[in-house]
Amino acid sequence: MEKTIKLLRGHYYGNIILLAVIFLFSIFSMIPLFADRQAISATLERYAIMITIIAIPASLKFFVDRLKKSACPVDIPTASNKYKNISFIRLYTISTVALMNIFLFNISRNMNFFWFTVVLFIVFLFCKPSYAELEGLTKLPEGQGLTEEEGLVVPKQKERESGEMEEQLLEEIQNNPEPIEYNYPENEQVDGK
């Protein structure tokens, strides 16, 4: 688990530093490819803004949903791989959108792209890998016990022989017979009839 978190944190900080350097270079016009300002069509600007607005909550929601829907508990290597994959998807989706906004800001000097890039750097604060999220994949929800069998974590079960369980079930059925009621409309009592 420590190796996974170290790897994810390396990608996380490396990604942020690289994007911040590119963003600073574009602010101070130090990237020689786009020295002169070019106009961007209104359609391209709308699509870029729409992609940014959709990508931010979608990537965060995708991460949370995948964590919640994963079968808990799982063994540590499986949990590490699953957490690593969904963390990379979240991180690199937001990074790609941030790079697109930096690139468009560098070309056009449109302040919409500048502010969206700033917002994306704030969103990175919510993408930091943590032990608690990874450990959550290896634990059962509260109130359920765990036992280990052959390296896998499985829920505890009461140890009973199958014969005893069948006898108890038959006794309960015989002792508590439930009357069968049929609720058809023609069987109902109606006032005045």
Side-chain angles (χ1 to χ4, degrees):
M1 287 173 62
E2 287 182 22
K3 288 181 182 179
T4 302
I5 296 296
K6 283 181 182 178
L7 175 71
L8 290 173
R9 285 190 178 163
H11 279 264
Y12 175 76
Y13 289 117
N15 211 4
I16 291 175
I17 290 169
L18 181 65
L19 287 172
V21 167
I22 293 171
F23 188 47
L24 289 174
F25 281 174
S26 68
I27 289 173
F28 297 115
S29 301
M30 297 175 68
I31 299 175
L33 297 175
F34 307 107
D36 56 333
R37 182 177 168 179
Q38 299 175 359
I40 289 181
S41 69
T43 307
L44 178 63
E45 183 179 352
R46 284 184 195 140
Y47 280 119
I49 290 171
M50 187 174 64
I51 288 170
T52 305
I53 290 172
I54 291 171
I56 293 170
S59 61
L60 296 175
K61 180 92 171 118
F62 170 80
F63 179 81
V64 171
D65 285 346
R66 291 293 297 246
L67 275 183
K68 285 183 181 178
K69 289 181 181 177
S70 62
C72 290
V74 292
D75 56 326
I76 292 174
T78 305
S80 296
N81 285 335
K82 185 175 285 192
Y83 185 73
K84 192 184 329 177
N85 291 337
I86 58 178
S87 293
F88 281 150
I89 291 170
R90 177 183 62 175
L91 178 68
Y92 287 114
T93 300
I94 294 173
S95 298
T96 303
V97 174
L99 192 60
M100 175 192 72
N101 280 291
I102 292 169
F103 179 73
L104 291 171
F105 170 72
N106 199 15
I107 291 174
S108 67
R109 294 290 168 188
N110 186 334
M111 290 306 287
N112 288 336
F113 301 123
F114 173 85
W115 290 114
F116 271 119
T117 305
V118 171
V119 167
L120 285 162
F121 276 112
I122 294 169
V123 169
F124 276 121
L125 297 175
F126 300 102
C127 298
K128 188 175 181 181
S130 71
Y131 284 105
E133 292 171 340
L134 181 53
E135 286 177 356
L137 292 175
T138 61
K139 292 181 181 176
L140 267 179
E142 291 182 17
Q144 296 182 10
L146 297 176
T147 59
E148 284 196 23
E149 292 180 5
E150 300 175 6
L152 296 175
V153 182
V154 294
K156 282 185 181 177
Q157 296 179 350
K158 293 182 180 179
E159 295 179 8
R160 293 183 182 171
E161 294 179 11
S162 60
E164 289 178 15
M165 291 177 66
E166 288 175 7
E167 287 175 15
Q168 276 186 331
L169 185 59
L170 288 173
E171 286 177 17
E172 287 176 14
I173 291 172
Q174 290 172 354
N175 293 337
N176 298 324
E178 295 182 14
I180 299 174
E181 294 181 11
Y182 297 102
N183 294 325
Y184 295 116
E186 55 269 1
N187 292 343
E188 293 181 5
Q189 290 288 345
V190 180
D191 292 339
K193 285 190 179 180

